[in-house]
Amino acid sequence: MVTAFRPVTLNEALAIRRTHGTVPLAGGTDLMAAAPSCSPGRGESSPSIMFIGHLTELRQIRMEQGEWRLGAAVTLADILDHARLPAPLRQAVADMASPAIRNVATAGGNICNASPCGDTLPFLYAQAARVLLCDSGNRRELPIERFIIGPGKTALRPDELLTEIVFPAREFVVHRHHKVGARRANTLAKLSFLGLADMDAAGRLSDIRLTFGSVAPTVIRAPQLEQRLCGLPLTEMKHHIDEISAAYDGLIQPIDDQRSTREYRKQVCLNLLRWFLEELIA
Ligand SMILES: Cc1cc2nc3c(=O)[nH]c(=O)nc-3n(C[C@H](O)[C@H](O)[C@H](O)COP(=O)(O)OP(=O)(O)OC[C@H]3O[C@@H](n4cnc5c(N)ncnc54)[C@H](O)[C@@H]3O)c2cc1C
């Protein structure tokens, strides 16, 4: 038998988490899919779950001091419906699952599930997002790349909940998101690529962010490589594409699995990178 809690407030949820060590269930779309493997073995105590998807405190989307703050239980459908949220995030969400799943699946669940193919993650890494983590007495903030520490592994403590996702309300002039899967809808990514770029009035690249999903244990972003391109006149970019591509070749370390092969994943990532950089020059 599974014990289930349904707190009315976030404070109540945090108190339950502290005393009962419950598993938070937001939309349940990852948890329910994993349920058979989570069933308790012989002699183990039954798991307890706590519904958090309905908590008003976790359902807010607001802009504060130049930053977006998304409650952890904001659903993917809420993100799609919010026309002012950045286009690359909404596009990534539009490519996720199906409308039925998006109606219940949450932003916080996608992060806490920490899958290498979590589709909101390339955007959040590119925007240097932070997550707000609360227990019943304290709150702390972590950059997303320090929160997700490996496939299915996060820095969440047993008495904490992820409550908010924070990122700059910053739009980029050029943004390209590609999710490559077996089909257009309801499919997990074989790989994904997000490129964001801004140019200054003198025709130089003033900012660039490049992220790759599903091709390493966590999302790949390499700010030191991005920095090599920043400040370059676009006319000179073509001289740097081979060198940058070779550097990412070393970073992209996909695996073979039922969705794809490592060779395909790496080659398509490098093609998308080259395509994006060449498009900036054109
Ligand atoms: C048919 C189908 C298609 C899918 N397609 C995609 C896809 O295209 N792309 C993609 O990225 N994913 C996909 N998914 C996976 C899933 O829908 C997403 O990862 C979703 O965002 C998970 O959110 P959730 O609220 O349902 O998470 P849940 O299942 O409720 O939780 C996931 C994990 O996060 C923890 N958790 C949730 N919220 C919190 C919180 N606030 N604080 C602490 N821990 C928390 C839970 O305890 C659990 O460990 C798909 C799933 C299904 C079933």
mmCIF file of all heavy atoms in Angstrom, residues 121-155:
data_model
loop_
_atom_site.group_PDB
_atom_site.id
_atom_site.type_symbol
_atom_site.label_atom_id
_atom_site.label_comp_id
_atom_site.label_asym_id
_atom_site.label_seq_id
_atom_site.Cartn_x
_atom_site.Cartn_y
_atom_site.Cartn_z
ATOM 1 N N LEU A 121 15.929 21.365 -20.612
ATOM 2 C CA LEU A 121 17.251 21.606 -20.017
ATOM 3 C C LEU A 121 18.223 22.376 -20.916
ATOM 4 O O LEU A 121 18.919 23.276 -20.425
ATOM 5 C CB LEU A 121 17.867 20.279 -19.543
ATOM 6 C CG LEU A 121 16.974 19.487 -18.567
ATOM 7 C CD1 LEU A 121 17.655 18.200 -18.131
ATOM 8 C CD2 LEU A 121 16.620 20.334 -17.346
ATOM 9 N N PRO A 122 18.300 22.091 -22.230
ATOM 10 C CA PRO A 122 19.240 22.878 -23.053
ATOM 11 C C PRO A 122 18.965 24.384 -22.959
ATOM 12 O O PRO A 122 19.904 25.186 -22.882
ATOM 13 C CB PRO A 122 19.006 22.329 -24.463
ATOM 14 C CG PRO A 122 18.588 20.901 -24.224
ATOM 15 C CD PRO A 122 17.720 20.963 -22.996
ATOM 16 N N PHE A 123 17.684 24.767 -22.937
ATOM 17 C CA PHE A 123 17.370 26.190 -22.802
ATOM 18 C C PHE A 123 17.831 26.710 -21.433
ATOM 19 O O PHE A 123 18.436 27.783 -21.331
ATOM 20 C CB PHE A 123 15.856 26.424 -22.964
ATOM 21 C CG PHE A 123 15.459 27.824 -22.607
ATOM 22 C CD1 PHE A 123 15.588 28.852 -23.540
ATOM 23 C CD2 PHE A 123 15.004 28.147 -21.333
ATOM 24 C CE1 PHE A 123 15.262 30.167 -23.203
ATOM 25 C CE2 PHE A 123 14.676 29.457 -20.992
ATOM 26 C CZ PHE A 123 14.808 30.460 -21.932
ATOM 27 N N LEU A 124 17.555 25.949 -20.382
ATOM 28 C CA LEU A 124 17.885 26.425 -19.029
ATOM 29 C C LEU A 124 19.401 26.535 -18.841
ATOM 30 O O LEU A 124 19.886 27.462 -18.196
ATOM 31 C CB LEU A 124 17.249 25.510 -17.978
ATOM 32 C CG LEU A 124 15.707 25.499 -18.014
ATOM 33 C CD1 LEU A 124 15.143 24.456 -17.055
ATOM 34 C CD2 LEU A 124 15.147 26.885 -17.668
ATOM 35 N N TYR A 125 20.157 25.607 -19.416
ATOM 36 C CA TYR A 125 21.621 25.717 -19.347
ATOM 37 C C TYR A 125 22.087 26.935 -20.146
ATOM 38 O O TYR A 125 22.961 27.678 -19.711
ATOM 39 C CB TYR A 125 22.289 24.453 -19.899
ATOM 40 C CG TYR A 125 22.431 23.319 -18.903
ATOM 41 C CD1 TYR A 125 21.315 22.660 -18.405
ATOM 42 C CD2 TYR A 125 23.675 22.890 -18.467
ATOM 43 C CE1 TYR A 125 21.432 21.608 -17.504
ATOM 44 C CE2 TYR A 125 23.813 21.829 -17.566
ATOM 45 C CZ TYR A 125 22.692 21.197 -17.100
ATOM 46 O OH TYR A 125 22.829 20.162 -16.210
ATOM 47 N N ALA A 126 21.509 27.118 -21.342
ATOM 48 C CA ALA A 126 21.947 28.237 -22.186
ATOM 49 C C ALA A 126 21.688 29.573 -21.488
ATOM 50 O O ALA A 126 22.454 30.519 -21.638
ATOM 51 C CB ALA A 126 21.207 28.194 -23.529
ATOM 52 N N GLN A 127 20.615 29.639 -20.709
ATOM 53 C CA GLN A 127 20.265 30.891 -20.034
ATOM 54 C C GLN A 127 20.854 30.980 -18.627
ATOM 55 O O GLN A 127 20.493 31.875 -17.867
ATOM 56 C CB GLN A 127 18.736 31.021 -19.937
ATOM 57 C CG GLN A 127 18.078 31.428 -21.244
ATOM 58 C CD GLN A 127 18.205 32.938 -21.479
ATOM 59 O OE1 GLN A 127 19.087 33.596 -20.939
ATOM 60 N NE2 GLN A 127 17.322 33.481 -22.287
ATOM 61 N N ALA A 128 21.739 30.052 -18.280
ATOM 62 C CA ALA A 128 22.352 30.027 -16.943
ATOM 63 C C ALA A 128 21.278 30.140 -15.859
ATOM 64 O O ALA A 128 21.373 30.955 -14.935
ATOM 65 C CB ALA A 128 23.385 31.146 -16.800
ATOM 66 N N ALA A 129 20.259 29.286 -15.985
ATOM 67 C CA ALA A 129 19.154 29.307 -15.011
ATOM 68 C C ALA A 129 19.634 28.838 -13.643
ATOM 69 O O ALA A 129 20.643 28.130 -13.523
ATOM 70 C CB ALA A 129 18.030 28.402 -15.508
ATOM 71 N N ARG A 130 18.906 29.291 -12.614
ATOM 72 C CA ARG A 130 19.155 28.822 -11.241
ATOM 73 C C ARG A 130 17.875 28.172 -10.712
ATOM 74 O O ARG A 130 16.785 28.506 -11.179
ATOM 75 C CB ARG A 130 19.499 29.994 -10.319
ATOM 76 C CG ARG A 130 20.859 30.594 -10.594
ATOM 77 C CD ARG A 130 20.867 32.101 -10.719
ATOM 78 N NE ARG A 130 19.988 32.840 -9.865
ATOM 79 C CZ ARG A 130 19.322 33.914 -10.276
ATOM 80 N NH1 ARG A 130 19.402 34.332 -11.539
ATOM 81 N NH2 ARG A 130 18.549 34.566 -9.441
ATOM 82 N N VAL A 131 18.061 27.262 -9.756
ATOM 83 C CA VAL A 131 16.875 26.663 -9.136
ATOM 84 C C VAL A 131 16.844 27.057 -7.671
ATOM 85 O O VAL A 131 17.883 27.128 -7.010
ATOM 86 C CB VAL A 131 16.859 25.116 -9.284
ATOM 87 C CG1 VAL A 131 16.599 24.726 -10.724
ATOM 88 C CG2 VAL A 131 18.140 24.477 -8.780
ATOM 89 N N LEU A 132 15.626 27.318 -7.187
ATOM 90 C CA LEU A 132 15.441 27.673 -5.777
ATOM 91 C C LEU A 132 14.960 26.428 -5.050
ATOM 92 O O LEU A 132 13.970 25.801 -5.455
ATOM 93 C CB LEU A 132 14.410 28.803 -5.668
ATOM 94 C CG LEU A 132 14.136 29.324 -4.262
ATOM 95 C CD1 LEU A 132 15.392 29.928 -3.638
ATOM 96 C CD2 LEU A 132 13.030 30.382 -4.303
ATOM 97 N N LEU A 133 15.687 26.065 -3.991
ATOM 98 C CA LEU A 133 15.390 24.850 -3.242
ATOM 99 C C LEU A 133 15.030 25.246 -1.818
ATOM 100 O O LEU A 133 15.756 26.023 -1.190
ATOM 101 C CB LEU A 133 16.617 23.934 -3.224
ATOM 102 C CG LEU A 133 17.219 23.644 -4.607
ATOM 103 C CD1 LEU A 133 18.595 23.020 -4.494
ATOM 104 C CD2 LEU A 133 16.283 22.748 -5.400
ATOM 105 N N CYS A 134 13.910 24.723 -1.305
ATOM 106 C CA CYS A 134 13.471 25.106 0.043
ATOM 107 C C CYS A 134 13.245 23.872 0.889
ATOM 108 O O CYS A 134 12.718 22.865 0.400
ATOM 109 C CB CYS A 134 12.143 25.863 -0.028
ATOM 110 S SG CYS A 134 12.284 27.441 -0.872
ATOM 111 N N ASP A 135 13.642 23.977 2.168
ATOM 112 C CA ASP A 135 13.132 23.022 3.150
ATOM 113 C C ASP A 135 12.307 23.831 4.137
ATOM 114 O O ASP A 135 12.043 25.014 3.900
ATOM 115 C CB ASP A 135 14.256 22.189 3.798
ATOM 116 C CG ASP A 135 15.207 23.029 4.629
ATOM 117 O OD1 ASP A 135 14.801 24.119 5.109
ATOM 118 O OD2 ASP A 135 16.367 22.603 4.806
ATOM 119 N N SER A 136 11.890 23.226 5.232
ATOM 120 C CA SER A 136 10.920 23.947 6.059
ATOM 121 C C SER A 136 11.540 25.146 6.777
ATOM 122 O O SER A 136 10.813 26.001 7.259
ATOM 123 C CB SER A 136 10.226 23.014 7.043
ATOM 124 O OG SER A 136 11.195 22.277 7.731
ATOM 125 N N GLY A 137 12.877 25.257 6.801
ATOM 126 C CA GLY A 137 13.471 26.424 7.463
ATOM 127 C C GLY A 137 14.371 27.269 6.579
ATOM 128 O O GLY A 137 14.607 28.442 6.855
ATOM 129 N N ASN A 138 14.871 26.698 5.511
ATOM 130 C CA ASN A 138 15.906 27.378 4.720
ATOM 131 C C ASN A 138 15.578 27.360 3.242
ATOM 132 O O ASN A 138 14.781 26.553 2.777
ATOM 133 C CB ASN A 138 17.258 26.659 4.894
ATOM 134 C CG ASN A 138 17.646 26.585 6.346
ATOM 135 O OD1 ASN A 138 17.904 27.599 6.973
ATOM 136 N ND2 ASN A 138 17.651 25.376 6.879
ATOM 137 N N ARG A 139 16.274 28.270 2.531
ATOM 138 C CA ARG A 139 16.205 28.236 1.071
ATOM 139 C C ARG A 139 17.606 28.442 0.525
ATOM 140 O O ARG A 139 18.430 29.111 1.151
ATOM 141 C CB ARG A 139 15.239 29.291 0.537
ATOM 142 C CG ARG A 139 15.371 30.639 1.209
ATOM 143 C CD ARG A 139 14.137 31.493 1.048
ATOM 144 N NE ARG A 139 14.202 32.176 -0.236
ATOM 145 C CZ ARG A 139 13.149 32.505 -0.944
ATOM 146 N NH1 ARG A 139 11.941 32.213 -0.521
ATOM 147 N NH2 ARG A 139 13.275 33.123 -2.084
ATOM 148 N N ARG A 140 17.895 27.823 -0.582
ATOM 149 C CA ARG A 140 19.192 28.013 -1.233
ATOM 150 C C ARG A 140 18.969 27.992 -2.733
ATOM 151 O O ARG A 140 17.984 27.415 -3.215
ATOM 152 C CB ARG A 140 20.205 26.947 -0.801
ATOM 153 C CG ARG A 140 19.820 25.551 -1.208
ATOM 154 C CD ARG A 140 20.780 24.506 -0.638
ATOM 155 N NE ARG A 140 20.320 23.166 -0.997
ATOM 156 C CZ ARG A 140 20.994 22.286 -1.721
ATOM 157 N NH1 ARG A 140 22.209 22.543 -2.126
ATOM 158 N NH2 ARG A 140 20.495 21.096 -2.021
ATOM 159 N N GLU A 141 19.913 28.622 -3.447
ATOM 160 C CA GLU A 141 19.810 28.671 -4.895
ATOM 161 C C GLU A 141 21.019 27.987 -5.490
ATOM 162 O O GLU A 141 22.135 28.170 -4.992
ATOM 163 C CB GLU A 141 19.809 30.141 -5.345
ATOM 164 C CG GLU A 141 18.593 30.519 -6.140
ATOM 165 C CD GLU A 141 18.632 31.969 -6.578
ATOM 166 O OE1 GLU A 141 19.664 32.439 -7.100
ATOM 167 O OE2 GLU A 141 17.605 32.608 -6.398
ATOM 168 N N LEU A 142 20.823 27.221 -6.542
ATOM 169 C CA LEU A 142 21.957 26.576 -7.220
ATOM 170 C C LEU A 142 21.838 26.815 -8.715
ATOM 171 O O LEU A 142 20.726 26.780 -9.263
ATOM 172 C CB LEU A 142 21.918 25.057 -7.003
ATOM 173 C CG LEU A 142 22.417 24.461 -5.704
ATOM 174 C CD1 LEU A 142 22.367 22.932 -5.808
ATOM 175 C CD2 LEU A 142 23.846 24.903 -5.400
ATOM 176 N N PRO A 143 22.975 27.022 -9.395
ATOM 177 C CA PRO A 143 22.932 27.034 -10.865
ATOM 178 C C PRO A 143 22.478 25.657 -11.346
ATOM 179 O O PRO A 143 22.824 24.641 -10.722
ATOM 180 C CB PRO A 143 24.389 27.278 -11.275
ATOM 181 C CG PRO A 143 25.109 27.685 -10.045
ATOM 182 C CD PRO A 143 24.331 27.186 -8.857
ATOM 183 N N ILE A 144 21.743 25.641 -12.444
ATOM 184 C CA ILE A 144 21.181 24.364 -12.922
ATOM 185 C C ILE A 144 22.267 23.313 -13.124
ATOM 186 O O ILE A 144 22.070 22.137 -12.814
ATOM 187 C CB ILE A 144 20.372 24.583 -14.237
ATOM 188 C CG1 ILE A 144 19.683 23.297 -14.682
ATOM 189 C CG2 ILE A 144 21.205 25.119 -15.381
ATOM 190 C CD1 ILE A 144 18.257 23.255 -14.427
ATOM 191 N N GLU A 145 23.455 23.730 -13.579
ATOM 192 C CA GLU A 145 24.490 22.720 -13.863
ATOM 193 C C GLU A 145 25.101 22.156 -12.580
ATOM 194 O O GLU A 145 25.765 21.123 -12.627
ATOM 195 C CB GLU A 145 25.568 23.277 -14.807
ATOM 196 C CG GLU A 145 26.500 24.308 -14.231
ATOM 197 C CD GLU A 145 25.946 25.729 -14.282
ATOM 198 O OE1 GLU A 145 24.737 25.904 -14.570
ATOM 199 O OE2 GLU A 145 26.723 26.668 -14.010
ATOM 200 N N ARG A 146 24.857 22.807 -11.437
ATOM 201 C CA ARG A 146 25.311 22.209 -10.170
ATOM 202 C C ARG A 146 24.201 21.430 -9.499
ATOM 203 O O ARG A 146 24.449 20.611 -8.618
ATOM 204 C CB ARG A 146 25.856 23.295 -9.234
ATOM 205 C CG ARG A 146 27.233 23.760 -9.713
ATOM 206 C CD ARG A 146 27.912 24.695 -8.752
ATOM 207 N NE ARG A 146 27.782 24.322 -7.378
ATOM 208 C CZ ARG A 146 27.606 25.193 -6.382
ATOM 209 N NH1 ARG A 146 27.559 26.491 -6.640
ATOM 210 N NH2 ARG A 146 27.505 24.788 -5.142
ATOM 211 N N PHE A 147 22.958 21.698 -9.914
ATOM 212 C CA PHE A 147 21.825 20.948 -9.348
ATOM 213 C C PHE A 147 21.744 19.559 -9.978
ATOM 214 O O PHE A 147 21.573 18.559 -9.297
ATOM 215 C CB PHE A 147 20.518 21.718 -9.574
ATOM 216 C CG PHE A 147 19.312 20.991 -9.042
ATOM 217 C CD1 PHE A 147 19.158 20.786 -7.676
ATOM 218 C CD2 PHE A 147 18.340 20.488 -9.904
ATOM 219 C CE1 PHE A 147 18.053 20.098 -7.173
ATOM 220 C CE2 PHE A 147 17.238 19.805 -9.407
ATOM 221 C CZ PHE A 147 17.096 19.611 -8.039
ATOM 222 N N ILE A 148 21.887 19.503 -11.319
ATOM 223 C CA ILE A 148 21.824 18.202 -12.000
ATOM 224 C C ILE A 148 23.234 17.630 -12.030
ATOM 225 O O ILE A 148 24.129 18.202 -12.644
ATOM 226 C CB ILE A 148 21.256 18.366 -13.427
ATOM 227 C CG1 ILE A 148 19.817 18.888 -13.331
ATOM 228 C CG2 ILE A 148 21.323 17.048 -14.192
ATOM 229 C CD1 ILE A 148 19.145 19.148 -14.656
ATOM 230 N N ILE A 149 23.417 16.493 -11.350
ATOM 231 C CA ILE A 149 24.792 15.999 -11.230
ATOM 232 C C ILE A 149 25.045 14.734 -12.059
ATOM 233 O O ILE A 149 26.168 14.277 -12.157
ATOM 234 C CB ILE A 149 25.207 15.804 -9.753
ATOM 235 C CG1 ILE A 149 24.203 14.962 -9.013
ATOM 236 C CG2 ILE A 149 25.352 17.139 -9.056
ATOM 237 C CD1 ILE A 149 24.467 14.868 -7.508
ATOM 238 N N GLY A 150 24.018 14.204 -12.675
ATOM 239 C CA GLY A 150 24.203 13.030 -13.537
ATOM 240 C C GLY A 150 22.834 12.515 -13.939
ATOM 241 O O GLY A 150 21.821 13.046 -13.478
ATOM 242 N N PRO A 151 22.798 11.479 -14.789
ATOM 243 C CA PRO A 151 21.495 10.967 -15.208
ATOM 244 C C PRO A 151 20.675 10.525 -13.991
ATOM 245 O O PRO A 151 21.114 9.676 -13.210
ATOM 246 C CB PRO A 151 21.852 9.772 -16.096
ATOM 247 C CG PRO A 151 23.256 10.039 -16.536
ATOM 248 C CD PRO A 151 23.911 10.778 -15.406
ATOM 249 N N GLY A 152 19.504 11.140 -13.820
ATOM 250 C CA GLY A 152 18.630 10.784 -12.692
ATOM 251 C C GLY A 152 19.136 11.240 -11.339
ATOM 252 O O GLY A 152 18.566 10.861 -10.309
ATOM 253 N N LYS A 153 20.203 12.028 -11.300
ATOM 254 C CA LYS A 153 20.779 12.425 -10.003
ATOM 255 C C LYS A 153 20.809 13.947 -9.867
ATOM 256 O O LYS A 153 21.297 14.647 -10.769
ATOM 257 C CB LYS A 153 22.216 11.917 -9.881
ATOM 258 C CG LYS A 153 22.337 10.437 -9.747
ATOM 259 C CD LYS A 153 23.699 10.089 -9.113
ATOM 260 C CE LYS A 153 23.847 8.606 -8.886
ATOM 261 N NZ LYS A 153 23.948 7.843 -10.133
ATOM 262 N N THR A 154 20.329 14.418 -8.725
ATOM 263 C CA THR A 154 20.362 15.866 -8.466
ATOM 264 C C THR A 154 20.924 16.122 -7.075
ATOM 265 O O THR A 154 21.102 15.195 -6.285
ATOM 266 C CB THR A 154 18.941 16.484 -8.510
ATOM 267 O OG1 THR A 154 18.195 15.982 -7.379
ATOM 268 C CG2 THR A 154 18.211 16.153 -9.802
ATOM 269 N N ALA A 155 21.149 17.397 -6.794
ATOM 270 C CA ALA A 155 21.648 17.790 -5.480
ATOM 271 C C ALA A 155 20.502 18.060 -4.502
ATOM 272 O O ALA A 155 20.725 18.644 -3.437
ATOM 273 C CB ALA A 155 22.527 19.039 -5.627
#
